Amino acid sequence: MHELILKPGREKSLKRRHPWVFSGAVAKVTGKPASGDTLEIHSHTGEFLAVAAYSPQSQIVARVWDWTKREIDAGFFRGRIERALALRAHFLPTSDAARLVHAESDGLPGVVADRYGETVVLQLSSAGAVRWRDALADALETVVRPKTIFERSDADVLALEGIEPRIGVLRGAAPPARVAVDEAGATFEVDVPHGHKTGFYLDQRDNRLRLRELAAKREVLDCFAYSGGFTVNALIGGAAAVTAIDSSGPALGLLARNVALNQLPQAECIEGDVFQLLRKMRDQARSFDLIVLDPPKFAPTAAHADKAARAYKDINLLAFKLLRPGGLLFTFSCSGGVARELFQKIVAGAALDAGVDAQIVEQLSAGADHPVALNFPEGEYLKGFICRVAGGA
């Protein structure tokens, strides 16, 4: 097996079982391993540390498969998928849609698998994951037994790995144009081939249900509304009215479809740039009782954190200005490069500049099917707060 030898002193993170090796930590690589090949990682003294997938074009040059000397083969991937499902046995949501495999947190770096009814969507984002595409598809087919396994390997990070995007059926029949799923009594149609991520934002499930519990009689503004996960739950919860904003007309069309499927009152849908529309609403003196800010990833890495901080502050400041006394703000960051502590400081600065007193009444994160390995805190990419503006009953 090929070997990756670390520079002196660079084995500390691996001994804490952090699964990444950065290119700057590498002294040399023996042989000529191809992208995605398995190699052993050794310290500069020759101590074995892990077996990992090699990714020569990435800043993360190796991602750990296992911490013991073992063969990485089809049986390894089947075992990991069986383990991932077993760990979720007591935590699966009241839904026929769930995350089955959550990358590094399930010991499968670069591998995400989401279930939407009888369809499993596989998303690969590392050289090692792509190398074992067929073994992963075979394992999911055997263990989960879906009608369809559809690949959505089209994330931006693929360019950092030197991997071409790939979308299409891996196993079984082509999925329907829209896959209908049930989430705690709400029906959603998911666009598997073309939707965001793998088609839907499964990580927000628990937070959507919390919104449902708090929406009664409130006027709600849902920003970056996509296909209506928060909008539908606000209406089910008895919101007085919902205004949904998104830059995508097709997404708002799917949102309207999901509202209709659940036989709910229509939401006001506005297509356009959320930042500009919030400024316009501020100038029009519009106000709301509850606002949801669920923007796309502003900072994919820590290097983008400063620029992202300005965007997060701007949008949260506008939201605070639009909230009535006693109003609630559900605010989120899905940027891995923005830690929870930093995000709290940004939101606090936005409230200060908006001239409002606010408090965090709840902290939010992804659901139990998106676990965070203790040795991999980067797995907690989604973080959120429910903030309450002072005043009101």
Side-chain angles (χ1 to χ4, degrees):
M1 187 179 289
H2 302 291
E3 293 185 3
L4 184 153
I5 312 300
L6 297 176
K7 294 176 180 178
R10 302 304 292 268
E11 69 278 1
K12 293 179 182 178
S13 64
L14 280 170
K15 287 192 169 183
R16 292 193 295 266
R17 295 206 166 189
H18 191 283
W20 290 352
V21 176
F22 290 92
S23 57
V26 179
K28 67 176 180 178
V29 176
T30 65
K32 295 182 178 180
S35 179
D37 280 355
T38 302
L39 42 67
E40 289 186 0
I41 303 175
H42 291 258
S43 72
H44 76 289
T45 62
E47 179 185 4
F48 171 83
L49 298 168
V51 289
Y54 184 51
S55 182
Q57 296 191 49
S58 174
Q59 185 183 6
I60 306 171
V61 76
R63 290 175 169 84
V64 172
W65 289 129
D66 203 80
W67 305 99
T68 60
K69 285 193 177 187
R70 63 175 298 171
E71 186 175 357
I72 303 301
D73 55 14
F76 168 81
F77 293 102
R78 176 170 175 170
R80 284 288 161 94
I81 289 171
E82 288 176 337
R83 186 180 76 174
L85 266 65
L87 290 170
R88 287 162 172 75
H90 300 292
F91 294 100
L92 287 178
T94 54
S95 172
D96 54 2
R99 176 145 296 181
L100 305 180
V101 178
H102 191 47
E104 280 85 351
S105 293
D106 281 310
L108 289 171
V111 181
V112 163
D114 289 339
R115 184 189 70 210
Y116 298 108
E118 295 293 332
T119 298
V120 168
V121 181
L122 180 63
Q123 188 169 68
L124 309 176
S125 60
S126 68
V130 169
R131 162 68 175 80
W132 291 99
R133 173 186 283 116
D134 287 336
L136 288 160
D138 289 344
L140 286 166
E141 188 172 39
T142 301
V143 176
V144 183
R145 298 186 180 278
K147 289 183 178 178
T148 300
I149 300 176
F150 192 89
E151 183 173 3
R152 278 292 308 273
S153 300
D154 56 348
D156 293 341
V157 294
L158 287 173
L160 303 177
E161 298 279 313
I163 298 169
E164 292 295 322
R166 181 164 165 173
I167 300 173
V169 176
L170 280 176
R171 299 288 186 275
R178 300 276 168 77
V179 177
V181 298
D182 177 88
E183 182 177 282
T187 300
F188 293 97
E189 286 191 347
V190 178
D191 186 346
V192 166
H194 308 106
H196 294 180
K197 299 181 78 172
T198 63
F200 197 52
Y201 287 92
L202 293 173
D203 50 5
Q204 290 282 23
R205 177 191 304 103
D206 293 352
N207 304 324
R208 288 190 285 265
L209 296 183
R210 188 67 181 117
L211 178 81
R212 185 190 297 189
E213 295 168 348
L214 295 173
K217 299 180 181 179
R218 296 180 184 269
E219 291 186 36
V220 177
L221 175 62
D222 183 8
C223 302
F224 308 97
Y226 184 44
S227 61
F230 283 108
T231 290
V232 167
N233 277 283
L235 291 168
I236 290 175
V242 179
T243 299
I245 301 174
D246 200 275
S247 62
S248 168
L252 290 174
L254 185 53
L255 179 150
R257 169 71 176 161
N258 285 329
V259 169
L261 282 172
N262 290 278
Q263 300 181 330
L264 296 167
Q266 287 187 343
E268 177 189 12
C269 293
I270 305 176
E271 181 182 349
D273 179 88
V274 173
F275 289 84
Q276 294 178 7
L277 288 169
L278 291 186
R279 292 188 185 97
K280 183 178 179 180
M281 288 179 173
R282 176 200 60 192
D283 295 343
Q284 294 172 338
R286 291 193 66 175
S287 61
F288 300 89
D289 303 301
L290 191 157
I291 297 175
V292 180
L293 294 180
D294 186 22
K297 187 186 298 183
F298 289 157
T301 68
H304 300 85
D306 288 344
K307 183 178 180 180
R310 292 191 292 272
Y312 283 123
K313 184 174 182 181
D314 190 14
I315 200 167
N316 279 276
L317 189 156
L318 289 165
F320 278 125
K321 284 186 172 292
L322 292 171
L323 274 173
R324 295 168 183 153
L328 297 176
L329 172 64
F330 279 62
T331 184
F332 298 97
S333 166
C334 65
S335 296
V338 176
R340 183 177 289 272
E341 182 180 8
L342 174 58
F343 187 52
Q344 180 175 338
K345 289 180 180 177
I346 293 167
V347 176
L352 182 65
D353 287 0
V356 300
D357 291 324
Q359 50 186 199
I360 296 171
V361 293
E362 290 185 33
Q363 300 201 34
L364 306 173
S365 59
D369 54 344
H370 292 66
V372 179
L374 288 172
N375 58 314
F376 187 68
E378 293 90 339
E380 190 192 14
Y381 65 94
L382 179 66
K383 67 284 298 182
F385 303 114
I386 303 177
C387 299
R388 184 179 185 272
V389 173

